[in-house]
Amino acid sequence: MSRENYESNVRRLGSLRRTRGVIKVGVVVVGIAMLLAACGSSTSARASKTTSLVSHPLVAFMIPDSTTPRWTGQDAPDFIRAMKRLDPTAKVVVENANNSANEQEAQGQALLTKGVKAIVLIAVSETQSGVLVRQAHAADVPVIAYTRLPANSPVSYMVGSDPFKIGVVLGKYIISNTKPGDTVAVLNGSPTDSFAKAEHNGFMSVLKPVFKSGRLHEVGDVWTPNWEPTDATSEMEAILTETHNNVQAVLAPNDGTAGGVIAALARVGLAGKIPVTGIDGGLTGDRLILKGDLSMTVWRDPEVEATHAAMIVAKLLHKQTPPKFWFTDSVFNGEVHIPLWLDPMYVITKNNMGLEIKAGAFSKAQLCAGMPKVGPCK
């Protein structure tokens, strides 16, 4: 199978949701089986090896929190469904660290004690997560980094998006939707998150020259612990007080913090009147766009991302090395160069939100209930 055909199949398989999508689950199962067979192992061969390897292998999907809706609402259930298609014998457990790096480390240690065979990790802390990765590596348990990159540790593979490029998209959007002399409030994600830091570097790579030139004025540039929306509200309120509400745009690093920002803007009559960015493209964020409060978001299809992670895990459970062409790039975390698969990203506004509906992220009825008749809800 060529790389081009493989990537086309991954995108197609990842975007098919049970009976919500355009093709039902039976076709999805057949499609994934054909994809894995074409990459070097047949479904029957994999099935025959299952009992000779590990009976009901334990697989962990470790999420950092429930603050970001996609982890519990999309990524975790999507991963579980994909694993059931790829290896029905595997037992998948989801661990929620509740925004605590210590708790995530303890959860990982408990999983290793229980004999976990593979870990998909969304790290709370880029630095502290390295302890868990090293412990897993010592126990010959592969760790697949998901979206966030643990630093200075022997991560086996990574699946995610490019936060620097996402940041560049946000920064360019702000520049395109402001005029000379405007003041831009800048909020960042969690200071312990490698994704947030790379995203910040991305938008500042295009905004710093504009701030330096005086075309736009910067205020804030504050970090939001654990991406917490309530903290974003407090941060935005402080910025509005400092500037006497003289803010013409807000760069918010995801839809959750954007929601917190919008709550603060609403209290001074600015909600829906100035541009506010976001990323994730979940149902809540898209409904904020339809209301006119959020200007745009950046969507990466969680189903595609979760499916790709599950494909890697399924290979590893059967003592097979994922083919090199499954990965689009590599990323260096300070210790190792990690094979990386990048999830494509899409800028979403009310004008192209139908893309997510077509992909099956949610139904038109779910999106449009009680919303203004704009975009796909006309």
Side-chain angles (χ1 to χ4, degrees):
M1 174 181 287
S2 70
R3 182 189 185 94
E4 181 180 358
N5 288 339
Y6 163 75
E7 291 177 347
S8 175
N9 277 335
V10 171
R11 287 193 296 269
R12 178 175 60 83
L13 294 172
S15 65
L16 305 181
R17 267 58 167 215
R18 307 187 305 283
T19 55
R20 292 183 295 159
V22 293
I23 300 179
K24 294 184 184 295
V25 68
V27 179
V28 176
V29 174
V30 173
I32 291 181
M34 290 174 64
L35 177 58
L36 287 177
C39 292
S41 61
S42 69
T43 305
S44 59
R46 289 187 295 106
S48 66
K49 289 182 180 181
T50 299
T51 54
S52 64
L53 290 171
V54 177
S55 179
H56 303 294
L58 180 64
V59 175
F61 192 85
M62 303 187 71
I63 65 175
D65 56 70
S66 54
T67 302
T68 302
R70 62 171 285 187
W71 304 141
T72 54
Q74 298 175 79
D75 296 84
D78 286 343
F79 179 79
I80 292 170
R81 283 192 294 271
M83 282 305 305
K84 284 183 179 179
R85 300 169 194 150
L86 295 167
D87 191 338
T89 70
K91 178 184 178 183
V92 179
V93 295
V94 177
E95 297 285 354
N96 184 349
N98 298 306
N99 275 322
S100 168
N102 290 335
E103 184 172 347
Q104 189 167 69
E105 185 178 335
Q107 290 170 342
Q109 291 169 345
L111 287 164
L112 292 171
T113 300
K114 293 176 182 177
V116 68
K117 297 304 177 185
I119 295 173
V120 178
L121 175 65
I122 310 172
V124 173
S125 165
E126 65 170 323
T127 53
Q128 192 167 337
S129 61
V131 176
L132 171 56
V133 175
R134 290 185 181 283
Q135 292 172 337
H137 183 74
D140 198 28
V141 175
V143 175
I144 296 89
Y146 193 95
T147 298
R148 301 179 180 179
L149 179 64
N152 302 309
S153 55
V155 175
S156 298
Y157 301 96
M158 183 170 181
V159 172
S161 50
D162 188 328
F164 184 90
K165 289 183 178 178
I166 290 175
V168 169
V169 168
L170 299 185
K172 288 183 175 180
Y173 184 87
I174 290 294
I175 292 171
S176 298
N177 289 274
T178 50
K179 63 182 186 298
D182 282 352
T183 296
V184 179
V186 177
L187 278 73
N188 303 298
S190 179
T192 62
D193 185 351
S194 61
F195 187 102
K197 292 177 181 178
E199 183 187 20
H200 173 268
N201 291 340
F203 57 69
M204 281 304 185
S205 71
V206 294
L207 285 176
K208 271 188 177 180
V210 180
F211 291 146
K212 187 176 181 180
S213 71
R215 180 194 179 279
L216 297 176
H217 305 295
E218 177 190 12
V219 64
D221 198 12
V222 292
W223 294 83
T224 311
N226 300 318
W227 306 81
E228 182 59 52
T230 55
D231 287 343
T233 300
S234 299
E235 291 164 355
M236 192 64 218
E237 287 176 338
I239 290 171
L240 290 169
T241 298
E242 176 187 346
T243 62
H244 302 287
N245 300 338
N246 183 29
V247 173
Q248 285 74 48
V250 182
L251 192 149
N254 76 345
D255 294 352
T257 54
V261 165
I262 290 165
L265 293 176
R267 292 170 187 171
V268 296
L270 288 177
K273 295 181 179 180
I274 64 173
V276 179
T277 67
I279 75 169
D280 284 339
L283 184 60
T284 301
D286 283 11
R287 285 168 65 86
L288 286 173
I289 292 176
L290 293 175
K291 291 178 180 178
D293 293 334
L294 184 64
S295 305
M296 56 83 77
T297 189
V298 179
W299 179 60
R300 301 96 73 212
D301 192 339
E303 178 87 358
V304 175
E305 201 167 338
T307 297
H308 205 99
M311 289 169 61
I312 295 170
V313 169
K315 278 286 189 183
L316 296 174
L317 290 180
H318 293 280
K319 306 300 181 184
Q320 298 169 355
T321 301
K324 289 183 179 180
F325 68 86
W326 279 21
F327 303 94
T328 53
D329 207 337
S330 67
V331 60
F332 184 63
N333 72 344
E335 180 169 323
V336 295
H337 292 275
I338 306 162
L340 167 67
W341 182 80
L342 285 173
D343 189 5
M345 64 178 180
Y346 307 89
V347 175
I348 298 295
T349 67
K350 64 182 179 182
N351 296 323
N352 68 342
M353 207 174 286
L355 175 68
E356 293 185 68
I357 297 173
K358 185 176 181 180
F362 38 71
S363 69
K364 181 176 179 179
Q366 289 174 310
L367 176 66
C368 296
M371 290 292 103
K373 294 188 181 301
V374 297
C377 303
K378 289 180 180 177

